[in-house]
Amino acid sequence: MTTTRSVLASQAADYPRWFQDVIAKAELADNGPVRGTMVVRPYGYGIWELLQEAMNRRIKATGAANAYFPLLIPESYLQREAEHVEGFSPELAVVTHAGGKQLEEPAVIRPTSETVIGEYMAKWIQSYRDLPLLLNQWANAVRWELRPRLFLRTTEFLWQEGHTAHATFEDARAYATKILNDVYRDVMVNVLAIPVTVGRKTRRERFAGAINTMTLEAMTGDGKALQMCTSHELGQNFARAFDIDYLSSDGRRELAWTTSWGSTTRMVGGLIMVHGDDDGLRIPPAVAPIQVVVLAVRDETIEAAQRIAKDLAAAGVRVTVDDRTDQPFGRRAVNWELKGVPIRIELGPRDLAADVATVVRRLRDSTKTAVILSELKSTVVHAIDTDQAHLLEEATARHTARTTAVSTVDEAVEAAASGWASLPYDAIGEEGEDRLAESGVTVRCLQRPDGTLPLDDAEPGLIAYVARSY
């Protein structure tokens, strides 16, 4: 097995350093010139583009349409929903001067767009015929992070944020739940191959201004939790603040019910932390910018490598040829291993003479198999499909094995030292959440015993999932 441990910290010895090493060595991103900002390099952005495409298709399938709203928001807009501004106040970046003059009203660089979109929803919605209004935007956002970390918490990040208005509470709740399951969970499981725990946030972990926040929580390789996506029921809080009302079918003015939901470049961080190993990235084929790399070992195999790549591309495979024969073969192999390309095809003179190619499957512990050239395309296409599923099975097994059922807060803290704990929420309560917080542990989400979403966090018998988190 090719090893890159000489250029990466090991996960066991220093997981945070390993994470930084992978991002740098795999050429995913770099630190920006302003503290907390991020430059996403082409290879990292290629992953984001494929994720974005997968997410966008699913969002549109729910009936939402893409729009775009301004980066700058009048400061007064945020002041109109008290809980919202209180929740975001420490993270706000505010523009006070422009064009060489002090602005009459400061402008906030959007941390999220509930307020500005609420202003225009109020303008666009007149009657029940205008509902539901289902909007999404792909944009950037700024939240001034005290402890930034590439792809996990950056001052500026890329994301999609959805905002909708509905005639009834029931319709808003159903749509927010649909986004959670049919869009976010589907992408996490079937595109990123990341198993997630689906649940409801506690009151103290809820989005500022929401009446309910639903979340998808993933387990990272070091046993911590990573919040991947959230979907919020906003009730009528923002409708009341921004006068989002409509004329009902019986002629009465009614307040709308709104939702918001979002996913960010944190998903790329999740991919790294859930699937990566001591040899670097392991990218699910569904979001791999390069699914197959064909390595020509020597000059005399370049032409054959190009033929193989052309054949695979015709079958819909994202493939590239590495014909840098002036560089040591071992170094090139290590580089592709580190970048997590799912399948590597090595083609040397001896392989050609034997009418075979060596297939290396990164997602199967880099196992090597000699494959007859005539069977190469079918073998590779089959491997792409099965290795995506294998990655999910592997992550699911770890997620399950490292979640421990306990009965007390003290036991939960102990279990959270190396994984997650599940326990009755009745055994925690607000006092228990304080005790967990003292140990750097939080309640990640709540579920019913059958795994379904509770309608209220006051429901008896709920199960809490607790962990340390990023």
Side-chain angles (χ1 to χ4, degrees), residues 24 44 94 119 162 181 189 199 204 208 218 264 269 272 283 286-287 298 306 308 331 353 369 415 427:
V94 184
E119 180 78 7
N181 289 313
V189 173
R204 71 171 60 191
T264 77
I272 299 167
I283 305 180
V287 288
R298 301 195 185 282
Q306 290 172 338
I308 289 170
R331 182 186 301 171
T369 307

Side-chain angles (χ1 to χ4, degrees), residues 9 69 84 118 138 184 188 249 319 326 338 340 344 368 408 425:
F69 290 82
H84 191 67
W138 290 93
Y184 292 156
M188 292 304 107
S249 58
V319 58
D326 58 331
L338 197 153
R344 190 167 76 245
K368 294 188 176 186
T408 69
Y425 185 49

Side-chain angles (χ1 to χ4, degrees), residues 400-441:
T400 301
R402 297 184 70 173
T403 302
T404 305
V406 300
S407 56
T408 69
V409 170
D410 289 341
E411 290 173 340
V413 170
E414 183 179 352
S418 58
W420 292 15
S422 65
L423 73 162
Y425 185 49
D426 294 340
I428 300 177
E430 291 192 7
E431 181 181 335
E433 284 197 72
D434 290 336
R435 288 167 56 200
L436 289 170
E438 290 171 1
S439 300
V441 179

